[in-house]
Amino acid sequence: MEAEVQEISEHLRHYPPFDRLDRKWLDQIAARTDVAYYRDGSMIQEYGEPIDTLRYIRSGAVEVYRHNGELYNRIGEGDIFGHTGLLHNRRVRFPVRAIEDTLLYLIPAEVFDQLCEEDDQFADFVELSGPRLQSTVEQNERENDLMVSRVRRLLTRSPVNIEETATVHEAARLMTEHHVSSILLLSRAEPDDERAFAGEEHGHWRLTGILTDQDLRGRVLAAGLSGETPLTEIKHDRLITIQSDESVYEAMLAMLRNNVHHLPVLHRRRPVGVVHLSDIVRYETHSSLYLVSNIFNQGSVKGLSRLMPDVRAAFVRLVDDGATSQMIGQAMSSIGRSLIRRLIELAEAELGPPPVPYCFMVNGSMARNDQTIATDQDNALILDDSFDPEQHDAWFVALAKRVSDGLHACGYPYCNGGIMGTNQKWRQPLSVWRRYFEGWIDQPDPEKLLHSSIFFDLEAVHGEERFVEQLQDLVAQRASQSPLFLAALARNALNRTPPLGFFRTFVMEKDGQHNNSINLKRRGTAPLVDVIRVHALAVGSRSQTSFDRLDDIVRANTLPAGQADKLRYALEFISMVRIRHQAYDLKHHHAPDNNIEPENVSDGERHNLKDAFQVLSNAQKFLRFRYPMPTR
Amino acid sequence: MSCQQSDEATWAAFFADQAGRSRDSALRAFYGAGVPAPDTPLRDVPLIALDFETTGMDVHRHAIISIGMVPFDLARIRPSAGRYWVVKPPRPLDEASIRFHRITHAEVAQAPDLDEVLDEVLAALAGNVVVVHFRGIERPFLDAAVVARRGERCLFPLIDTMSIEARQVRQGGWNRLKGMLLGSHTSVRLPDSRTRYGLPAYSAHHAKVDALATAELLQAQIARHYSPDTPVGELWE
């Protein structure tokens, strides 16, 4: 075989859908592949052009647009494009431009056709998925950037308008009629006036002012003016407005800076509403920040448990605002940690100061900053080595019980597996904890690890943070040095398989209770988190969140190119489906859970879910091969 | 640039003249295919990237052991239409060069003499403008080999991606200054040049892979510094 064919097929075989093809196929493709170079900024394919090759990005990056010019996707090394055009009359459907200097491999249409014909998985990939998963996630993030705190989110009604030639009396009557505390003043304008907007039926208008309740009091009644005074006479000299796509934060600043309480909101030149300072205050009070400060103001478990509806409301609002799973996980975890801190403060106030230094540690999702709403508690106590059970344990038992009962009362159920500080096994001095971790790492036994892997996500919440840091150091140093441990952990990470059957069909849960459903945590996010943890421990990462761990893995360069990004997208996508499902349950007064019924999921989402589960499945296969059981 | 006019005239005249005079049929056909007019825009010029692996740098002491070529134009590089030959040098291989090219004694022992494939080589080159990275190897080695075997000259215009690169990187005042101060120039070796255009790393020292790499580099250089309308006469030497 020719060397350049090897060069090409060697690259292809690392990227889907080529990664599933056997070597012979790959070499045949490579032997017929042409090459082309495009400079940064140049157009690679225009809409409607004839297309006779599948384009594979060997190096560089491109942007794919919709027909209307809107950005559809941004893809890079190892991604393909042009397949939609090849499948539809051999005409380009999505224009593409190079955004870096880009080298393409061009695979002839005949080879593409033959691949679609003879390889179902290839056909599925180009017909159904391609790089679609990535684009969906990126689009969510873009929408999120635009929406999270845009002023227009605060608008609940159209503005009430009046022509400025009207009288104060007419304005007051209209305000009363519409139950508003402000009214916008308009004047007729020429169409070419640069401040003019087209009215619905009455030609062109211009916004010239605003009249508020306060103006009626101060500038009309207090000044002794009659109701017949024209609005033009009491109008403010300057009008402060804000554009609808500015942030809520900007709106707040504009009000403070100008000392006004009403702010007309414009979309370009057209008034679309008015925000009042109270709208912003209300918005802020729903935020998790407000919630956290409120947690620390509560004097009892009862008070804390009364905040739970607010926690759920904050969760739903984050989802509706289009926040990412990372933002939501972070917010929910910090609320959870604040609850624990407050519970500890309350307990210490009653029990007196701790007899020896200690650290209250959380494990699992709270440590990973990926908590959602339906979650139980996982925590433990690390005590100073001067701990003497006879003398000191009563205090720590009482503390652990108060926190655990408090969390339960606040909607975090007790841990089924007993991973709580109330369990004596998980209420031990630091030296014992060190022995636990050394044992898990140096003499790994898949059975033992199955129940203890949750401790490899660990974070201090209260007390001596250095205790947890020492354990984190120990893990980071030792785990990567123990192939046996990594192999055992990898084996456990294969226990929970994604719900994909042959031919990419969903496999439903058969546990009786949730027939025809898929548990997105058990079959999706949890095994993804497991896979990522193994790779992270292998590279000595100290990060606790899955996304930070992926960054560390990328830096260590131990995964095939592009794999970490795929895991990131898959985790983000499955997490978001799970989170949205929980938000839906909450809005409809169901108990939130992790089970979705595929028939209730939209077509597009279903395909994306399959893609994401496929990523998990591939990652598990790779894990098996990457961390084999060492032979002794 | 000043002597461009006379150069162009020389190449066309030289090819016509040689086509009429060559006794060797392969060379007659090679010259008979002619060269594009120097004012032909690059977009219309058929190009062929050529690379030799040799036993050393000295045309008098060393010989060709492999030949790779890849035809292309500004739109598309076609490795599948390219060719690759291993040939037996008249003198034995030394160990150092074997390590370099990874072509073994056995491979070379079974290989034909260049004379046996020369007709094919010339036929593949005919009608194309040859592109190389560093003009000091392919043209003189091929010329010397043809003179030795057929008793006639084999000369042709070529585009040298290394001298294009040298012109670009050494043009900048900063680079000139850096060169003066540090006594060093920006590298114009093939892999280093490719890196500047975002081209991927290939495994070097295989004649056909290097020919492919050279073709990609020329596409990149033209995309960045010239235009598809640039006359070929501006680039060839």
Side-chain angles (χ1 to χ4, degrees):
Chain A
M1 195 216 328
E2 307 241 336
E4 88 286 356
V5 170
Q6 214 166 342
E7 198 77 49
I8 295 169
S9 85
E10 183 59 31
H11 197 265
L12 290 174
R13 80 181 175 89
H14 287 108
Y15 295 90
F18 305 100
D19 55 351
R20 321 178 122 266
L21 301 176
D22 65 32
R23 203 57 205 232
K24 219 177 80 201
W25 247 119
L26 284 175
D27 291 344
Q28 279 176 32
I29 299 168
R32 299 187 55 189
T33 293
D34 285 351
V35 183
Y37 180 90
Y38 289 87
R39 196 185 165 190
D40 170 18
S42 60
M43 215 54 200
I44 297 176
Q45 58 185 39
E46 304 260 15
Y47 181 81
E49 267 179 3
I51 180 167
D52 62 356
T53 56
L54 176 70
R55 284 92 204 262
Y56 172 93
I57 304 175
R58 172 61 177 83
S59 63
V62 306
E63 279 182 349
V64 183
Y65 306 97
R66 293 180 202 282
H67 186 194
N68 65 9
E70 193 185 311
L71 179 65
Y72 169 65
N73 207 349
R74 194 174 280 135
I75 55 179
E77 182 169 346
D79 285 319
I80 55 170
F81 60 92
H83 46 285
T84 326
L86 289 178
L87 292 167
H88 291 98
N89 303 324
R90 301 274 207 261
R91 296 266 164 197
V92 170
R93 302 275 286 214
F94 295 97
V96 172
R97 181 192 297 280
I99 54 168
E100 288 173 15
D101 294 334
T102 296
L103 190 71
L104 296 181
Y105 286 163
L106 310 172
I107 299 168
E110 304 80 59
V111 177
F112 174 81
D113 291 343
Q114 200 187 346
L115 276 165
C116 289
E117 183 100 350
E118 293 178 21
D119 191 291
D120 285 344
Q121 268 165 345
F122 187 91
D124 270 1
F125 185 90
V126 295
E127 280 164 21
L128 301 175
S129 52
R132 193 190 51 219
L133 176 59
Q134 180 169 352
S135 88
T136 310
V137 171
E138 281 185 351
Q139 194 168 342
N140 285 345
E141 279 169 8
R142 273 201 301 279
E143 279 169 8
N144 173 46
D145 286 345
L146 288 173
M147 289 174 55
V148 149
S149 50
R150 300 293 155 195
V151 177
R152 61 169 168 265
R153 286 195 57 79
L154 300 184
L155 301 178
T156 49
R157 57 169 303 156
S158 311
V160 177
N161 305 320
I162 192 166
E163 194 169 350
E164 65 176 9
T165 51
T167 62
V168 175
H169 174 236
E170 284 167 322
R173 215 181 54 208
L174 205 57
M175 287 165 73
T176 308
E177 200 178 298
H178 286 93
H179 308 287
V180 289
S181 61
S182 68
I183 191 165
L184 298 183
L185 312 185
L186 305 181
S187 73
R188 292 193 173 275
E190 294 303 315
D192 58 355
D193 184 330
E194 57 182 23
R195 283 162 300 180
F197 63 93
E200 252 132 61
E201 44 202 86
H202 310 291
H204 288 81
W205 296 90
R206 199 175 105 184
L207 176 67
T208 60
I210 182 171
L211 181 77
T212 67
D213 277 354
Q214 204 182 351
D215 295 328
L216 287 172
R217 187 181 71 223
R219 301 172 74 101
V220 180
L221 289 175
L225 297 179
S226 93
E228 298 312 307
T229 311
L231 290 166
T232 42
E233 277 185 28
I234 58 144
K235 205 171 68 169
H236 286 281
D237 295 336
R238 62 194 186 117
L239 176 66
I240 315 291
T241 61
I242 192 158
Q243 286 293 323
S244 63
D245 58 357
E246 296 265 20
S247 65
V248 170
Y249 183 70
E250 276 302 317
M252 191 171 69
L253 284 185
M255 290 186 192
L256 294 175
R257 209 182 297 129
N258 298 290
N259 193 29
V260 295
H261 289 171
H262 293 83
L263 207 53
V265 179
L266 306 182
H267 179 65
R268 301 217 179 85
R269 290 173 299 264
R270 175 192 307 280
V272 290
V274 178
V275 281
H276 189 260
L277 188 57
S278 63
D279 297 325
I280 293 183
V281 173
R282 198 174 315 123
Y283 182 88
E284 276 302 302
T285 45
H286 277 148
S287 77
S288 40
L289 255 178
Y290 166 81
L291 238 174
V292 165
S293 71
N294 217 355
I295 285 172
F296 285 100
N297 290 331
Q298 298 302 318
S300 67
V301 171
K302 196 159 196 167
L304 287 171
S305 70
R306 272 200 291 259
L307 293 178
M308 287 310 106
D310 292 352
V311 173
R312 298 202 181 100
F315 175 81
V316 170
R317 204 178 60 101
L318 280 166
V319 177
D320 287 350
D321 282 351
T324 63
S325 83
Q326 294 189 65
M327 295 163 66
I328 296 169
Q330 171 83 53
M332 292 291 111
S333 304
S334 45
I335 288 171
R337 280 195 295 268
S338 304
L339 266 175
I340 295 179
R341 283 200 189 108
R342 186 59 188 154
L343 286 166
I344 294 174
E345 283 174 8
L346 291 173
E348 284 192 356
E350 272 189 62
L351 300 170
V356 297
Y358 74 103
C359 181
F360 194 96
M361 161 168 89
V362 291
N363 304 97
S365 61
M366 200 183 282
R368 289 194 309 269
N369 268 323
D370 62 14
Q371 273 210 309
T372 61
I373 205 79
T375 185
D376 59 0
Q377 43 176 303
D378 299 299
N379 54 62
L381 286 174
I382 310 172
L383 314 172
D384 189 81
D385 281 338
S386 62
F387 172 75
D388 169 13
E390 301 273 308
Q391 281 187 61
H392 308 135
D393 204 28
W395 191 94
F396 289 108
V397 171
L399 174 83
K401 186 160 165 32
R402 275 161 202 252
V403 174
S404 209
D405 292 350
L407 281 171
H408 187 79
C410 289
Y412 297 77
Y414 298 118
C415 172
N416 277 336
I419 295 182
M420 292 178 292
T422 48
N423 186 337
Q424 197 197 346
K425 193 173 176 199
W426 309 130
R427 190 178 67 245
Q428 292 292 338
L430 181 58
S431 54
V432 175
W433 275 105
R434 296 189 68 99
R435 280 205 297 281
Y436 285 169
F437 276 97
E438 285 161 7
W440 291 325
I441 296 171
D442 297 345
Q443 287 112 36
D445 153 9
E447 187 59 23
K448 247 190 323 186
L449 278 184
L450 195 56
H451 303 296
S452 52
S453 64
I454 193 161
F455 288 107
F456 289 89
D457 304 323
L458 66 167
E459 201 184 67
V461 163
H462 179 91
E464 304 292 328
E465 291 180 14
R466 61 198 166 94
F467 291 175
V468 167
E469 281 164 12
Q470 286 188 41
L471 295 178
Q472 288 172 337
D473 286 341
L474 185 154
V475 173
Q477 284 157 16
R478 264 193 205 222
S480 59
Q481 307 303 316
S482 169
L484 199 60
F485 166 74
L486 294 172
L489 208 60
R491 212 170 99 183
N492 284 344
L494 305 175
N495 287 343
R496 294 179 285 197
T497 53
L500 281 185
F502 211 56
F503 296 121
R504 286 167 59 90
T505 50
F506 283 122
V507 175
M508 304 300 167
E509 306 290 330
K510 291 282 181 261
D511 60 359
Q513 216 186 346
H514 295 291
N515 263 333
N516 289 324
S517 73
I518 290 173
N519 187 312
L520 289 176
K521 183 184 177 191
R522 192 163 60 218
R523 313 296 296 271
T525 54
L528 269 168
V529 163
D530 287 347
V531 165
I532 293 167
R533 188 193 297 112
V534 177
H535 289 304
L537 290 175
V539 302
S541 161
R542 292 189 40 139
S543 299
Q544 299 299 317
T545 83
S546 292
F547 291 97
D548 290 348
R549 283 172 173 170
L550 280 169
D551 290 340
D552 292 341
I553 295 164
V554 168
R555 268 191 289 276
N557 210 11
T558 53
L559 282 187
Q563 277 309 303
D565 278 342
K566 288 196 180 118
L567 287 169
R568 201 186 307 272
Y569 287 122
L571 181 58
E572 176 65 23
F573 189 78
I574 302 176
S575 301
M576 275 323 295
V577 175
R578 176 181 170 215
I579 284 168
R580 278 200 296 269
H581 169 76
Q582 293 179 345
Y584 177 91
D585 280 346
L586 286 172
K587 279 195 223 168
H588 294 81
H589 308 289
H590 303 311
D593 62 20
N594 296 309
N595 292 291
I596 57 150
E597 297 78 36
E599 66 267 25
N600 293 340
V601 173
S602 72
D603 270 358
E605 206 155 74
R606 198 159 43 229
H607 284 312
N608 279 328
L609 262 185
K610 285 183 184 174
D611 286 353
F613 284 130
Q614 193 63 55
V615 169
L616 168 59
S617 174
N618 294 346
Q620 287 183 328
K621 279 180 206 147
F622 180 73
L623 204 64
R624 188 192 302 275
F625 136 88
R626 178 70 181 73
Y627 306 103
M629 273 297 171
T631 42
R632 281 187 290 185
Chain B
M1 202 74 90
S2 59
C3 58
Q4 192 181 326
Q5 211 49 46
S6 60
D7 263 355
E8 289 157 6
T10 310
W11 277 124
F14 177 75
F15 267 59
D17 185 44
Q18 293 290 315
R21 287 204 301 174
S22 288
R23 280 155 289 130
D24 184 82
S25 63
L27 282 163
R28 209 159 50 234
F30 173 75
Y31 285 120
V35 284
D39 57 357
T40 314
L42 286 171
R43 70 165 91 244
D44 297 329
V45 175
L47 301 163
I48 191 159
L50 178 67
D51 189 77
F52 292 168
E53 299 300 324
T54 56
T55 56
M57 297 288 279
D58 183 348
V59 71
H60 303 296
R61 294 199 296 124
H62 299 117
I64 302 169
I65 54 171
S66 69
I67 300 171
M69 51 178 81
V70 172
F72 69 112
D73 56 32
L74 291 197
R76 202 177 279 199
I77 300 166
R78 303 194 310 280
S80 55
R83 303 293 301 271
Y84 177 70
W85 295 271
V86 175
V87 292
K88 182 156 53 180
R91 279 173 293 267
L93 285 179
D94 66 50
E95 296 299 329
S97 81
I98 291 170
R99 274 202 302 282
F100 202 55
H101 322 106
R102 281 166 283 161
I103 294 174
T104 61
H105 286 285
E107 249 181 292
V108 171
Q110 290 163 14
D113 184 86
L114 177 59
D115 197 49
E116 291 173 50
V117 300
L118 190 57
D119 289 4
E120 281 181 77
V121 169
L122 291 172
L125 294 177
N128 295 296
V129 171
V130 173
V131 180
V132 299
H133 191 79
F134 180 47
R135 61 181 173 218
I137 295 288
E138 283 75 15
R139 190 159 53 183
F141 268 87
L142 184 59
D143 186 36
V146 173
V147 169
R149 288 168 181 80
R150 309 276 165 103
E152 293 184 45
R153 302 296 304 265
C154 178
L155 290 172
F156 44 86
L158 54 74
I159 295 177
D160 179 4
T161 50
M162 185 194 263
S163 55
I164 291 177
E165 199 54 15
R167 234 174 287 155
Q168 293 304 330
V169 300
R170 286 166 193 171
Q171 212 165 44
W174 167 244
N175 279 302
R176 227 177 12 241
L177 190 65
K178 203 165 66 173
M180 257 154 48
L181 293 177
L182 305 174
S184 72
H185 282 306
T186 313
S187 165
V188 289
R189 292 174 57 247
L190 185 56
D192 299 316
S193 303
R194 286 170 57 83
T195 306
R196 281 191 286 277
Y197 296 87
L199 290 165
Y202 285 156
S203 49
H205 302 305
H206 179 284
K208 194 169 174 198
V209 176
D210 281 354
L212 173 61
T214 303
E216 289 172 4
L217 177 60
L218 184 69
Q219 275 198 346
Q221 288 173 325
I222 292 170
R224 188 168 304 175
H225 308 300
Y226 300 91
S227 106
D229 298 321
T230 305
V232 64
E234 209 173 289
L235 289 187
W236 79 23
E237 330 187 354

